[in-house]
Amino acid sequence: MTRALILAGLFALAAGASACAVPIYEPEPTSVYQWERRQQAAERDYAERQRLCRITKDDDPRKEELCRGVERENR
């Protein structure tokens, strides 16, 4: 009985770990409209990252992470 519980636990652990490793598939856009929506979404995401970088205080430990890959504005 104990062996069955251990095996069931290991199986559940392995299944959970492998689920995290599965990459998310995002198909390429096929129409001009889809490409435009994708580009606009990327621009909105970047603008939000710029905003978060700008409003985060310099002594905040998340500052480096939030500003990674974002062009800083001249102050």
Side-chain angles (χ1 to χ4, degrees), residues 27-43:
E28 289 291 318
T30 56
S31 69
V32 174
Y33 176 71
Q34 289 174 336
W35 277 105
E36 185 177 331
R37 286 189 56 195
R38 181 179 181 180
Q39 183 63 31
Q40 289 172 347
E43 289 171 358

Side-chain angles (χ1 to χ4, degrees), residues 2-13:
T2 306
R3 184 178 291 166
L5 290 175
I6 292 172
L7 288 175
L10 289 175
F11 179 73
L13 181 64

Side-chain angles (χ1 to χ4, degrees), residues 18-61:
S18 66
C20 294
V22 176
I24 297 173
Y25 173 72
E26 184 177 328
E28 289 291 318
T30 56
S31 69
V32 174
Y33 176 71
Q34 289 174 336
W35 277 105
E36 185 177 331
R37 286 189 56 195
R38 181 179 181 180
Q39 183 63 31
Q40 289 172 347
E43 289 171 358
R44 280 192 307 272
D45 290 345
Y46 185 73
E48 176 65 10
R49 288 177 48 219
Q50 281 182 318
R51 185 187 73 80
L52 289 173
C53 181
R54 187 177 58 249
I55 66 173
T56 304
K57 295 182 180 179
D58 290 334
D59 60 344
D60 192 322

